[in-house]
Amino acid sequence: MQKMENARTNPNHYLLCLLLTLLGTLLFLVNARGLSGFSGFLLISILLMTTPTLFYIFSEKHSISSAKSISLLLIPLFALHYIYYLQAGVPVGFTDPHRHIFTYWNLFTDTGKILLENVQSISFNFVGLYVLFRFLSLVSGSDIVTLAGVIPPFLNILIILAVYLVVARLHEQRTGLLAAMFYGWEHMVHILGQEMRTQTMGVLILFVITALLLIINKKTTRSGVFGAIILLAGLVTTSFVCNFYALLVFSGAVVAVFILFLCKREIHWLVANIIAAGLYLCFIVFCLCYLIYVSKGIEPLVAQFSRL
């Protein structure tokens, strides 16, 4: 029993796993830069990056804190998700990122005013994407090309963390870690996560809202389920693209969470569901008003939907 307890708490095991993870990440970057011609270099680096995390997931005799296990998971994933930017130094993707960057340059004046008439054809779904990147550009002082290469992979890392929180809340830490690992290493998540897309921010909002609902509803399962259904329905309604307006509405839910934490008060499940339904209705009103605005009236909007 004493030996098992020492195995659980011995920090040397974690330090060794951390060293192996860092070594694997370094070898992975060396291979990606083409500095090694050894054919098995990539396989060795991937094994070193993933084995320490898998060891703690499946080992019954060893366990570490959530922060340490997540660090072993995220260190290689940072390198993996930024590999295209590290190789090219520019935004990558199929056609969406370059189209969005071109539209962004034509959409804003030097003073930051939005000129929709400067763009021949722009979907209302993507205006929120440009507004968010304009905000990030003003805050960071960086240009759109730099932000389009740096921000999407970082959002993908946040999604991986959110996946861990959701699954760990529904099951337990090891299961959450395994789910986050599967998600973070998934090929299409990796490829599409590099691009300046609206879907990445939509998925991030989806998992963060779900995680918050699971965290604040420790005892009342019904409230979490109904609230999640309503909020996720709102996100699906917008196809994950009207992120700017979704952020305005759902940020109210985040503020409510912090107020609950500060006041240390439990909220009745019916009240929580009424609040969630109210937020969803507000979101629908936002979307409807915006559709009427960009369509220049109700009749043109109806005509557009009839053509669909």
Side-chain angles (χ1 to χ4, degrees):
M1 180 65 68
Q2 183 66 29
K3 184 179 295 185
M4 181 178 296
E5 184 67 23
N6 291 335
R8 290 178 181 275
T9 59
N10 192 346
N12 293 331
H13 293 159
Y14 167 72
L15 293 177
L16 177 60
C17 289
L18 181 61
L19 178 62
L20 293 176
T21 303
L22 291 173
L23 178 60
T25 304
L26 179 61
L27 294 179
F28 177 78
L29 294 175
V30 169
N31 182 82
R33 297 296 294 177
L35 301 178
S36 172
F38 179 55
S39 59
F41 221 60
L42 179 61
L43 178 60
I44 294 174
S45 64
I46 293 177
L47 288 175
L48 289 174
M49 287 191 294
T50 56
T51 301
T53 306
L54 292 174
F55 171 76
Y56 279 112
I57 291 175
F58 294 104
S59 175
E60 296 182 358
K61 297 182 179 180
H62 299 82
S63 62
I64 53 176
S65 64
S66 299
K68 290 181 179 179
S69 60
I70 291 175
S71 67
L72 295 177
L73 171 71
L74 293 186
I75 288 174
L77 286 180
F78 262 104
L80 179 69
H81 285 266
Y82 272 102
I83 194 65
Y84 289 116
Y85 183 74
L86 293 174
Q87 286 181 311
V90 295
V92 296
F94 295 105
T95 58
D96 286 355
H98 309 91
R99 186 188 300 116
H100 287 319
I101 292 174
F102 179 77
T103 305
Y104 178 94
W105 276 332
N106 290 277
L107 185 62
F108 295 97
T109 65
D110 294 336
T111 58
K113 183 180 179 181
I114 301 178
L115 296 177
L116 294 176
E117 60 270 19
N118 284 2
V119 184
Q120 293 182 352
S121 60
I122 180 173
S123 172
F124 73 90
N125 293 329
F126 299 109
V127 176
L129 178 69
Y130 308 135
V131 172
L132 283 177
F133 270 84
R134 176 66 180 177
F135 171 76
L136 293 173
S137 177
L138 294 175
V139 171
S140 64
S142 302
D143 58 85
I144 182 62
V145 176
T146 301
L147 292 176
V150 174
I151 297 299
F154 179 74
L155 295 179
N156 240 15
I157 296 297
L158 295 181
I159 293 174
I160 295 169
L161 283 173
V163 170
Y164 167 79
L165 291 175
V166 170
V167 179
R169 197 71 189 177
L170 292 173
H171 299 281
E172 48 91 26
Q173 177 188 346
R174 296 173 187 266
T175 307
L177 199 62
L178 184 62
M181 189 174 187
F182 279 137
Y183 184 89
W185 283 87
E186 205 279 326
H187 178 67
M188 291 307 298
V189 171
H190 176 220
I191 295 298
L192 299 180
Q194 315 301 316
E195 299 187 356
M196 179 185 175
R197 285 172 165 265
T198 52
Q199 282 84 353
T200 303
M201 282 178 279
V203 173
L204 176 60
I205 296 174
L206 183 152
F207 279 113
V208 168
I209 290 296
T210 306
L212 288 175
L213 285 169
L214 292 172
I215 291 173
I216 65 176
N217 291 280
K218 297 179 180 179
K219 299 180 180 179
T220 311
T221 306
R222 289 181 299 175
S223 179
V225 172
F226 292 138
I229 290 175
I230 293 173
L231 289 173
L232 298 185
L235 288 172
V236 173
T237 301
T238 63
S239 301
F240 298 152
V241 289
C242 296
N243 50 79
F244 181 72
Y245 305 97
L247 186 63
L248 289 177
V249 177
F250 293 138
S251 60
V254 178
V255 173
V257 170
F258 283 108
I259 292 176
L260 288 174
F261 280 144
L262 291 176
C263 297
K264 296 181 179 179
R265 295 175 58 186
E266 293 187 3
I267 188 170
H268 192 269
W269 70 271
L270 180 60
V271 177
N273 292 326
I274 292 175
I275 294 175
L279 289 172
Y280 178 61
L281 290 176
C282 290
F283 181 68
I284 295 298
V285 172
F286 265 111
C287 288
L288 180 60
C289 293
Y290 184 67
L291 285 171
I292 295 174
Y293 170 73
V294 297
S295 302
K296 296 181 171 56
I298 297 180
E299 293 184 2
L301 177 61
V302 173
Q304 292 181 30
F305 275 99
S306 64
R307 285 197 296 269
L308 295 177

